[in-house]
Amino acid sequence: MLMDNKVTTHHRFIKKFERDLKAYFDAGDDARFLSTFSKYTNLTEPSEHAEEMLYETLLRSKRPGELVDYSLEQMNNGDGNYETHMVYMLQALSDMGNYEEVLEFSGHLLEEPIPQGFRIDILSLRQNAANKLRGMLSDQEPVISKEEFDKFNLFQQLEFVEKITAAHDITYTNLITEAFSEANRNELKTAMLLYLRSVRSNGTLTIEKCGVKMTVQPAELGSLEEYFIVKDVLPKVLDEVEQFNPSFTEAATELLMGHAIYMYPVQPDFTAEAAVKAYCERIEEMLGMPASYDADAEVKHWLGEIEREIAENSL
């Protein structure tokens, strides 16, 4: 009976704290709210509503750093509502001007099968951060129209697309999607795809490079660093080149990276290992050495086609 009384009293204390928290929150008395919240959490795990009031109070009182620390601790401990913690944490990071962190966190989240309501909140925060970052990086430059973009030369187009990719600038999603179908240079198509990937574009695009045709959804693409030529082929080729001509490793890197930029995200119908052998033999030929890797003739032909196209369309 004595224990029952203690439990009842404890429960009453918690309810009183929750009533006090709401009263202080409604009154805008941030100092008393935060003091009471600290005592409240010594008694029990906070309710989701109490944590929402805490987050609103910290934002209102310009204390986003404390919000980030608290939400990260709660998420790391697996306590409370993950979606609530994440949404408020991203808002606090945005208030602190850490827009790139917001874009990084939100980008990872949007790759996951998260609930639709949560996804909408994340997309909204992401767009706000992208717009703010764009304003910081561009110093309020005027928005470029499709007509102006079409008048740019190739160098200017590449530079522009690279800039808006770095800023995750959602403003130009429609422009780049439309321009993609008109682009006739593989390097530009690659830059456009990487931009559309950075802003998580969910549309579908058809691309053809070196006779290989495929339909892609930019949001689902990997990065250039994850492309098979860069991830699976380049390191092994460099290991081999290191053995027979270490001074050529830099040139070999430039060769393969150039091919990767030209061909991304096309996946040809042969293995990475076959590509390694073909590249090694191609480099041997470039160095005047006899071929020694027994490379597949079709793969070597494919490399030759890439080189021919690049040479014909040389920048």
Side-chain angles (χ1 to χ4, degrees), residues 131-266:
N131 290 341
K132 293 287 183 64
L133 185 60
R134 175 180 177 273
M136 291 170 58
L137 296 179
S138 65
D139 195 26
Q140 303 303 318
E141 292 178 357
V143 174
I144 300 298
S145 68
K146 174 66 165 55
E147 291 72 21
E148 290 170 311
F149 179 81
D150 290 340
K151 292 178 183 177
F152 287 168
N153 62 38
L154 180 61
F155 287 110
Q156 292 171 320
Q157 289 179 331
L158 286 169
E159 183 180 30
F160 174 76
V161 176
E162 288 171 4
K163 183 176 71 172
I164 61 175
T165 301
H168 300 265
D169 190 347
I170 298 173
T171 307
Y172 293 99
T173 303
N174 291 337
L175 184 155
I176 297 301
T177 300
E178 181 181 351
F180 180 85
S181 62
E182 302 168 3
N184 54 18
R185 295 295 295 267
N186 279 7
E187 302 94 330
L188 182 57
K189 289 181 180 179
T190 293
M192 289 175 165
L193 285 172
L194 291 172
Y195 162 73
L196 293 171
R197 173 184 180 272
S198 77
V199 297
R200 317 305 302 169
S201 173
N202 288 312
T204 57
L205 297 169
T206 299
I207 183 169
E208 183 173 359
K209 293 185 175 182
C210 239
V212 181
K213 190 173 184 179
M214 61 188 298
T215 299
V216 299
Q217 186 175 8
E220 301 297 325
L221 291 174
S223 66
L224 182 63
E225 291 73 19
E226 295 170 311
Y227 184 48
F228 86 102
I229 292 178
V230 180
K231 180 182 177 183
D232 302 320
V233 179
L234 178 59
K236 293 181 180 178
V237 170
L238 292 181
D239 285 344
E240 295 296 318
V241 174
E242 188 72 36
Q243 298 300 315
F244 63 77
N245 194 325
S247 65
F248 200 76
T249 54
E250 185 176 344
T253 300
E254 291 178 1
L255 172 68
L256 270 72
M257 286 304 301
H259 287 191
I261 292 169
Y262 194 77
M263 293 305 298
Y264 172 93
V266 166

